Amino acid sequence: MDERLRRLAERYRAGNGDRRPVKERVAALYRTYVAKREGALIDAAAAAATVHSLFAADPASAAAVDPRLEEAFRLAFPNVDPESLRGLDPDALAPYLPALKGKYFEVLVRDRLNEGQWVGDIRLAPGQRAVLADSATQPGWDLQILNEDGSVAELLQLKATNSLSYVKAALERYPDIQVLTTDEVLVAGGDLQGVLGSGFSDAELEQAVDRGIEALFGDASDSVLGEVLPALPFVLIALREGRCVLMGRKTLAVACQDGLTGAARSGVAIGAGALAANLVSPGFGMATAALVRMGIHRHDRLSRASGLIQVRLEQLKRLRARPAAP
């Protein structure tokens, strides 16, 4: 019995056939541990990035472009290709903002009236419809209200501004056409004749246009990144397992099995992060996704180590149970 234990001890000291010095074997073991640890950290970061892309990204940039803003741009700048402005910095886009805000205001007023809602003190009668001018340089009026038979019921100038002098100038030029404007001018103008409030704020319109500019003209790479991030953990797993197959470290079948296992673990982490983001905050969800992914990795490592120890103990038990040699 003692002789068998002695041989077993010698075999472990010899490294199961590995004749490298102990220092090299320990260094190799450390490199393996670091590589696996780095892989787990990358998976955790990817899971957090996925939660960020789903919950913490700027909703203005992630959302689809407001179709009314797109229409407003076409109406205000019929000869400008929106793609020619994509990726420009804010300073380069600044000259387009005033006209875009004004036309966006017109589109909003038209749609709200045609939906049967009140815009300030104006509401369409049954059978009437609101129509914008065909040209951005239409003199005098910006919106006309047509009766059911096509006759003109009313003409309106629409001014999205906070400048009272600008509205007064429009009234002086076209005194017979009322001005429907934003609320800041209505407050500043008091009881100025010929000026109607719209219920829209000039400041809110500016904010809406500023937010929409990024969606309209933002760098295309941003939208591509937004589409890639949710799948990032699974892409990384596929690349890692594919590299192992190409280097001969794994067979294709083993790599596929390990890839599916890794994808399932990342999916659990992302699900936990998404739940935390909904219940608490996006930042807490990102942290949860990363911690759950690292926790799963640690649990797997401990489970494998425990299983290996159990196997070795069973081997020792069987060895001890053998009858001693005569």
Side-chain angles (χ1 to χ4, degrees), residues 272-287:
L275 180 61
N278 273 318
L279 294 178
V280 184
S281 69
F284 187 76
M286 293 169 59

Side-chain angles (χ1 to χ4, degrees), residues 30-75:
Y30 176 74
R31 287 193 296 270
T32 301
Y33 170 80
V34 170
K36 290 184 179 297
R37 183 74 172 179
E38 288 178 347
L41 287 172
I42 291 173
D43 287 345
T50 297
V51 174
H52 176 274
S53 69
L54 295 174
F55 295 94
D58 181 6
S61 60
V65 180
D66 184 348
R68 292 173 298 188
L69 194 62
E70 285 187 302
E71 180 185 2
F73 184 86
R74 290 195 304 269
L75 293 173

Side-chain angles (χ1 to χ4, degrees), residues 83-100:
E83 289 300 317
S84 66
L85 306 180
R86 188 171 295 280
L88 293 181
D89 58 63
D91 290 339
L93 293 172
Y96 295 90
L97 298 184
L100 180 58

Side-chain angles (χ1 to χ4, degrees), residues 93-326:
L93 293 172
Y96 295 90
L97 298 184
L100 180 58
K101 182 189 68 173
K103 191 58 68 173
Y104 184 56
F105 174 56
E106 295 176 14
V107 172
L108 290 174
V109 170
R110 178 204 64 190
D111 288 352
R112 183 166 292 187
L113 287 173
N114 286 333
E115 290 168 359
Q117 301 182 49
W118 287 93
V119 176
D121 295 329
I122 299 176
R123 187 180 185 185
L124 300 185
Q128 290 184 331
R129 68 184 189 278
V131 179
L132 294 180
D134 293 331
S135 172
T137 58
Q138 168 72 36
W141 59 272
D142 300 302
L143 179 144
Q144 57 181 347
I145 297 176
L146 302 180
N147 295 315
E148 191 171 7
D149 60 3
S151 60
V152 178
E154 188 174 359
L155 298 176
L156 293 171
Q157 302 181 70
L158 274 60
K159 305 300 179 187
T161 181
N162 57 12
S163 171
L164 181 60
S165 60
Y166 177 56
V167 172
K168 285 182 176 180
L171 281 172
E172 291 173 359
R173 188 173 182 183
Y174 302 102
D176 297 330
I177 303 177
Q178 294 191 102
V179 175
L180 184 71
T181 186
T182 42
D183 290 346
E184 289 87 342
V185 172
L186 188 66
V187 172
D191 57 353
L192 185 64
Q193 295 297 315
V195 177
L196 302 173
S198 64
F200 289 99
S201 163
D202 185 69
E204 292 175 351
L205 287 173
E206 283 189 356
Q207 292 174 5
V209 171
D210 287 342
R211 289 194 302 266
I213 283 295
E214 183 178 353
L216 272 175
F217 307 122
D219 193 341
S221 61
D222 293 338
S223 60
V224 172
L225 185 61
E227 295 176 359
V228 169
L229 277 179
L232 182 60
F234 312 106
V235 172
L236 292 177
I237 291 170
L239 291 175
R240 185 165 59 235
E241 297 301 327
R243 180 172 175 270
C244 289
V245 172
L246 292 176
M247 295 180 68
R249 295 178 180 175
K250 294 182 180 180
T251 64
L252 180 58
V254 171
C256 288
Q257 182 61 42
D258 289 348
L260 290 174
T261 302
R265 292 166 180 163
S266 292
V268 170
I270 293 170
L275 180 61
N278 273 318
L279 294 178
V280 184
S281 69
F284 187 76
M286 293 169 59
T288 300
L291 290 174
V292 168
R293 186 63 185 89
M294 290 300 297
I296 292 174
H297 170 74
R298 184 176 180 83
H299 177 269
D300 290 343
R301 299 287 292 175
L302 291 176
S303 296
R304 284 196 292 269
S306 177
L308 182 60
I309 291 173
Q310 188 65 35
V311 170
R312 293 293 185 257
L313 288 175
E314 292 297 329
Q315 289 176 344
L316 289 173
K317 287 179 181 179
R318 288 196 298 270
L319 183 62
R320 185 177 181 180
R322 291 178 184 176

